Amino acid sequence: MKKKIAIATLGCKVNQFESASFISGFEENDSQLVPFSSPADIYVINTCAVTARAGQQSRQLVRRAMRANPEARIVVTGCYAQVAGEELLEMIDNPTCIIGNGNKHLLVETALTDTLPELVMLTGKISMKKEICPLPVDRFSGRTRAYLRIQDGCNNFCSYCIVPYSRGRSRSLPTAAVFDQVEKFAREGYREMVITGINVGKYGLDLDEKQNIYSLLESLCRRYPEMRIRLSSIEPTEVNGRLLDVMTGYGNFMPHLHIPLQSGDDRILARMNRHYTVEVFVDVIRRISTALPRAAIGCDVLAGFPGEDDQAADNTFRLLEGLPVSYLHVFPYSRRPGTLAASFKEQVDGKIKEQRVHRLRELDTRKRQAFYRQHLGTSQQVLVERQNKKSGLLQGFSENYIPLQFKGPARLRHRIVPVHFDRLEDEQPLGSVEIEQE
Ligand code: SF4
């Protein structure tokens, strides 16, 4: 009898990649994947701990699994399992496996072992891990773009961030394994790969190979000219002339960079233990927009960090207002037990934090619309991802990350098609496909 497996995943692209590897592993072992809302023999929850809310959502998924089948084995992994394993044990009555981020390559085999004790604890000391978990992925079901995880962990210890405690030190996937994974994606027919990790800019620095993020990106662009290469995000400290040379030198490297700023105030950046100043950040953005005038530049910004007064909040707003950035991801500061900033005095009042988030999200809308208007009337190469259920229109991203919708036959899915960017309607970019309709 095939074992029924249900998987739920929270959080970042690295977690999404790792869950796709679990799915490949269970399929190779002839298990049956079922929706998380269905009865299953084994429930896998790949958790997140980046905010208090993510921790809460992780616990909610565990409770849902317990209710769905009190006999089922519950396998909890991911960042919340790594930093709050004991808390999880207190709430779970079912047979349980708690598997840390450093042991994710053991998850499938462990979960499918029949003779397991009631409780299996495989968290381990993540800070001692020297190698990245080998987690091959066959495919991303239902996705048009493949996430390629090349690195895990982080050595930066930003004072608000739990990730170095949940994912350990920076560890890179050896180049040969990277190319094995890319070969699989190319054979599966993926037309775009999103290069991801926890701190991808540090790729290769821990390997005995003469490799770093720039040389790896260049090799990927050269060896897979038909594949669109998109970088998920990179720290401002790793954006330099070498990266811009690769981006301007290869047409298949997408003109899109996502760069965490977090604060536009030097005093707050120092309290965050971020390793750059506002002046350095401004220079980075200016160099990108000079080298790649049509590039999309996205920024992460944190509102309400302890000690952020009105002046510091305004400095962040004015800085972003004046810079040629295309969109913002705005997050309210979330106090994470175990991080340095959690012990900081001057925690910002929730109402004030909300107001600052609201103001920055309004700015985000203005920036996005201004960026779209800049490209109105142009022809864009769009990778068609899906058909919008409500409008029936096809949708996908242009090279510079404009989410275009347009009329067209479903058979265009997973193909890169030229789309004329005609207009904006209710802030939504709309276009018309520029190929013969048979
Ligand atoms: S760079 Fe900073 S924010 Fe990003 S994962 Fe590392 S510690 Fe966290």
Side-chain angles (χ1 to χ4, degrees), residues 50 153-164 198-199 235 260 262 272-275:
V50 80
C154 185
N155 305 349
N156 283 20
F157 289 93
C158 301
S159 60
Y160 53 82
C161 186
I162 195 73
V163 176
I198 298 298
N199 194 344
E235 290 292 315
Q262 307 305 18
M272 288 176 164
N273 191 31
R274 300 287 288 166
H275 307 297

Short mmCIF file of all heavy atoms in Angstrom, two decimals, residues 50 153-164 198-199 235 260 262 272-275, ligand 1:
data_model
loop_
_atom_site.label_atom_id
_atom_site.label_comp_id
_atom_site.label_asym_id
_atom_site.label_seq_id
_atom_site.Cartn_x
_atom_site.Cartn_y
_atom_site.Cartn_z
N VAL A 50 11.28 33.40 10.33
CA VAL A 50 11.85 34.72 10.08
C VAL A 50 11.09 35.83 10.82
O VAL A 50 11.66 36.88 11.12
CB VAL A 50 11.94 34.98 8.55
CG1 VAL A 50 10.60 35.42 7.99
CG2 VAL A 50 13.03 35.98 8.23
N GLY A 153 22.81 29.04 4.67
CA GLY A 153 23.44 29.63 5.84
C GLY A 153 23.94 31.04 5.63
O GLY A 153 23.94 31.56 4.52
N CYS A 154 24.36 31.69 6.73
CA CYS A 154 24.83 33.07 6.65
C CYS A 154 25.75 33.39 7.84
O CYS A 154 25.50 32.93 8.94
CB CYS A 154 23.63 34.03 6.67
SG CYS A 154 24.12 35.73 6.44
N ASN A 155 26.79 34.19 7.54
CA ASN A 155 27.76 34.57 8.59
C ASN A 155 27.60 36.01 9.02
O ASN A 155 28.40 36.51 9.83
CB ASN A 155 29.20 34.38 8.06
CG ASN A 155 29.44 32.98 7.53
OD1 ASN A 155 28.61 32.08 7.75
ND2 ASN A 155 30.52 32.79 6.80
N ASN A 156 26.57 36.70 8.51
CA ASN A 156 26.49 38.16 8.72
C ASN A 156 25.93 38.57 10.08
O ASN A 156 26.31 39.61 10.61
CB ASN A 156 25.64 38.80 7.63
CG ASN A 156 26.42 38.92 6.33
OD1 ASN A 156 27.41 38.21 6.14
ND2 ASN A 156 25.97 39.77 5.43
N PHE A 157 25.07 37.80 10.67
CA PHE A 157 24.49 38.11 11.99
C PHE A 157 23.91 39.52 12.08
O PHE A 157 24.26 40.30 12.98
CB PHE A 157 25.51 37.85 13.10
CG PHE A 157 25.78 36.39 13.31
CD1 PHE A 157 26.81 35.76 12.66
CD2 PHE A 157 24.94 35.64 14.14
CE1 PHE A 157 27.04 34.40 12.82
CE2 PHE A 157 25.16 34.28 14.31
CZ PHE A 157 26.22 33.66 13.64
N CYS A 158 23.06 39.89 11.12
CA CYS A 158 22.34 41.14 11.26
C CYS A 158 21.55 41.02 12.57
O CYS A 158 20.97 39.98 12.86
CB CYS A 158 21.40 41.36 10.08
SG CYS A 158 22.30 41.41 8.52
N SER A 159 21.51 42.10 13.33
CA SER A 159 21.04 41.99 14.72
C SER A 159 19.57 41.61 14.84
O SER A 159 19.13 41.16 15.89
CB SER A 159 21.29 43.31 15.46
OG SER A 159 20.59 44.36 14.81
N TYR A 160 18.78 41.76 13.78
CA TYR A 160 17.34 41.43 13.84
C TYR A 160 17.04 40.04 13.30
O TYR A 160 15.90 39.58 13.37
CB TYR A 160 16.55 42.44 12.98
CG TYR A 160 17.08 42.55 11.57
CD1 TYR A 160 16.72 41.63 10.60
CD2 TYR A 160 17.98 43.54 11.22
CE1 TYR A 160 17.24 41.70 9.31
CE2 TYR A 160 18.51 43.63 9.94
CZ TYR A 160 18.12 42.71 8.99
OH TYR A 160 18.64 42.78 7.72
N CYS A 161 18.05 39.32 12.78
CA CYS A 161 17.78 38.14 11.97
C CYS A 161 18.06 36.82 12.69
O CYS A 161 19.10 36.63 13.30
CB CYS A 161 18.64 38.20 10.71
SG CYS A 161 18.25 36.86 9.55
N ILE A 162 17.12 35.90 12.58
CA ILE A 162 17.22 34.59 13.24
C ILE A 162 17.94 33.58 12.33
O ILE A 162 18.40 32.54 12.79
CB ILE A 162 15.81 34.07 13.61
CG1 ILE A 162 15.86 32.91 14.61
CG2 ILE A 162 15.07 33.61 12.35
CD1 ILE A 162 16.23 33.32 16.00
N VAL A 163 18.09 33.90 11.05
CA VAL A 163 18.57 32.93 10.06
C VAL A 163 19.94 32.33 10.37
O VAL A 163 20.12 31.11 10.27
CB VAL A 163 18.52 33.53 8.64
CG1 VAL A 163 19.11 32.57 7.63
CG2 VAL A 163 17.08 33.88 8.26
N PRO A 164 20.94 33.12 10.79
CA PRO A 164 22.22 32.48 11.11
C PRO A 164 22.11 31.42 12.22
O PRO A 164 22.88 30.47 12.25
CB PRO A 164 23.09 33.66 11.56
CG PRO A 164 22.50 34.83 10.86
CD PRO A 164 21.03 34.57 10.87
N ILE A 198 20.66 31.69 0.82
CA ILE A 198 20.38 32.58 1.95
C ILE A 198 21.22 33.85 1.80
O ILE A 198 20.74 34.95 2.04
CB ILE A 198 20.69 31.86 3.28
CG1 ILE A 198 19.81 30.62 3.44
CG2 ILE A 198 20.56 32.80 4.45
CD1 ILE A 198 18.31 30.93 3.50
N ASN A 199 22.43 33.72 1.37
CA ASN A 199 23.32 34.86 1.11
C ASN A 199 24.19 34.49 -0.10
O ASN A 199 25.37 34.20 0.02
CB ASN A 199 24.18 35.15 2.34
CG ASN A 199 24.87 36.50 2.25
OD1 ASN A 199 24.95 37.07 1.16
ND2 ASN A 199 25.36 36.98 3.36
N GLU A 235 23.19 40.88 -1.47
CA GLU A 235 23.49 41.96 -0.54
C GLU A 235 24.18 43.11 -1.29
O GLU A 235 24.95 42.86 -2.24
CB GLU A 235 24.40 41.45 0.57
CG GLU A 235 23.72 40.49 1.54
CD GLU A 235 22.67 41.21 2.38
OE1 GLU A 235 22.97 42.30 2.88
OE2 GLU A 235 21.54 40.70 2.49
N PRO A 260 18.58 43.96 -0.46
CA PRO A 260 18.07 44.42 0.86
C PRO A 260 18.75 45.73 1.28
O PRO A 260 19.96 45.79 1.29
CB PRO A 260 18.44 43.27 1.80
CG PRO A 260 18.88 42.15 0.94
CD PRO A 260 19.36 42.74 -0.36
N GLN A 262 17.03 47.67 4.03
CA GLN A 262 16.55 47.56 5.41
C GLN A 262 16.34 48.93 6.08
O GLN A 262 15.31 49.19 6.65
CB GLN A 262 17.44 46.65 6.27
CG GLN A 262 17.69 45.28 5.69
CD GLN A 262 16.43 44.48 5.36
OE1 GLN A 262 15.33 45.03 5.23
NE2 GLN A 262 16.58 43.19 5.16
N MET A 272 21.73 47.65 13.20
CA MET A 272 21.30 46.39 12.55
C MET A 272 22.50 45.49 12.24
O MET A 272 22.34 44.35 11.83
CB MET A 272 20.57 46.70 11.23
CG MET A 272 19.19 47.30 11.36
SD MET A 272 18.53 47.71 9.72
CE MET A 272 16.78 47.92 10.11
N ASN A 273 23.70 46.04 12.44
CA ASN A 273 24.93 45.32 12.05
C ASN A 273 24.96 45.03 10.55
O ASN A 273 25.39 43.97 10.11
CB ASN A 273 25.06 44.01 12.85
CG ASN A 273 26.43 43.38 12.68
OD1 ASN A 273 27.43 44.09 12.49
ND2 ASN A 273 26.49 42.06 12.68
N ARG A 274 24.46 46.01 9.77
CA ARG A 274 24.54 45.90 8.31
C ARG A 274 25.87 46.51 7.90
O ARG A 274 26.26 47.56 8.42
CB ARG A 274 23.38 46.64 7.65
CG ARG A 274 22.00 46.14 8.03
CD ARG A 274 21.64 44.82 7.40
NE ARG A 274 21.39 44.92 5.97
CZ ARG A 274 21.34 43.86 5.16
NH1 ARG A 274 21.57 42.65 5.62
NH2 ARG A 274 21.10 44.01 3.87
N HIS A 275 26.55 45.90 6.97
CA HIS A 275 27.95 46.26 6.68
C HIS A 275 28.09 47.26 5.52
O HIS A 275 28.91 47.08 4.61
CB HIS A 275 28.75 44.99 6.37
CG HIS A 275 28.61 43.95 7.44
ND1 HIS A 275 29.04 44.16 8.73
CD2 HIS A 275 28.04 42.74 7.44
CE1 HIS A 275 28.76 43.10 9.46
NE2 HIS A 275 28.15 42.21 8.70
S1 SF4 B 1 22.37 38.77 5.53
FE1 SF4 B 1 21.48 39.39 7.47
S2 SF4 B 1 19.29 39.39 7.06
FE2 SF4 B 1 20.22 38.16 5.46
S3 SF4 B 1 20.11 36.05 6.20
FE3 SF4 B 1 22.11 36.92 6.78
S4 SF4 B 1 21.83 37.66 8.86
FE4 SF4 B 1 19.80 37.40 7.94
#
